[in-house]
Amino acid sequence: MAQQGSRLLSERELDQGIASEPKGRVRSVTVNLAESPLGWLLARGHLSRKQFDAGERLRTDWERAQLAPRVTMAWDVAPVARGRGGAANLADLNGAQIDAKRRFNGALDAAGPGLADILWRIVCAGEGMRDAETALGWPARAGKLVLTLALDRVASFYRIP
């Protein structure tokens, strides 16, 4: 049991540190790979490491681009109006978000229109395979094959060896 548990847990470095931390110090967090549908598939041998890494890279770009809908109140400062009509509702995106969104859209385009649906549902939305297949109206066990094809194309897009 300990051997299986150690296979599902891994250390990851956090990309951004806290400003009060001394420079050069790396923070890490233990991640349970089985808590995502992608991790569950990897742990049971249904995905290769290359496919898993491609999915994780896609999910990271999705999160960095902040494409998920907000679930709480936005406490940002209200934009200042330049005219009498009020403030414009323009998104305030930084360069990292724009780059991540560009990579995310490019990866979905590389996957293709028929494969991007299952890819987004499993990798980004975190739906289980059965729920994704049902939502798309697919027969049971068809999603795993389509997902592996999509992840192979995404791995090629990200140039994952």
Side-chain angles (χ1 to χ4, degrees):
M1 183 70 173
Q3 199 173 30
Q4 182 182 8
S6 64
R7 184 176 72 171
L8 295 177
L9 297 177
S10 69
E11 289 282 326
R12 288 197 183 163
E13 292 180 8
L14 296 177
D15 288 344
Q16 300 172 349
I18 297 175
S20 62
E21 284 187 0
K23 292 194 180 215
R25 183 174 168 194
V26 176
R27 294 180 60 208
S28 66
V29 62
T30 301
V31 177
N32 183 355
L33 297 176
E35 67 185 33
S36 75
L38 213 56
W40 188 90
L41 291 167
L42 174 70
R44 282 151 185 82
H46 299 296
L47 294 179
S48 68
R49 189 68 183 173
K50 176 181 174 179
Q51 292 166 334
F52 176 79
D53 290 343
E56 284 295 300
R57 184 96 182 263
L58 180 71
R59 187 186 55 77
T60 299
D61 280 341
W62 182 71
E63 289 176 355
R64 280 195 181 133
Q66 296 182 359
L67 296 173
R70 287 183 185 243
V71 293
T72 61
M73 179 66 185
W75 294 100
D76 301 336
V77 177
V80 178
R82 294 189 181 175
R84 297 181 63 185
N89 288 336
L90 298 175
D92 184 26
L93 300 175
N94 63 32
Q97 287 174 300
I98 293 169
D99 289 342
K101 185 174 182 181
R102 189 175 298 129
R103 284 190 308 268
F104 176 79
N105 289 332
L108 286 185
D109 289 343
L115 304 178
D117 298 335
I118 189 89
L119 187 64
W120 181 85
R121 286 181 177 277
I122 300 291
V123 175
C124 301
E127 290 183 10
M129 186 63 72
R130 183 177 300 157
D131 294 335
E133 289 169 340
T134 302
L136 293 169
W138 292 359
R141 294 179 295 280
K144 189 169 44 172
L145 174 65
V146 176
L147 179 65
T148 56
L149 293 172
L151 288 170
D152 284 337
R153 290 183 180 182
V154 169
S156 294
F157 172 79
Y158 283 123
R159 296 184 179 131
I160 297 173

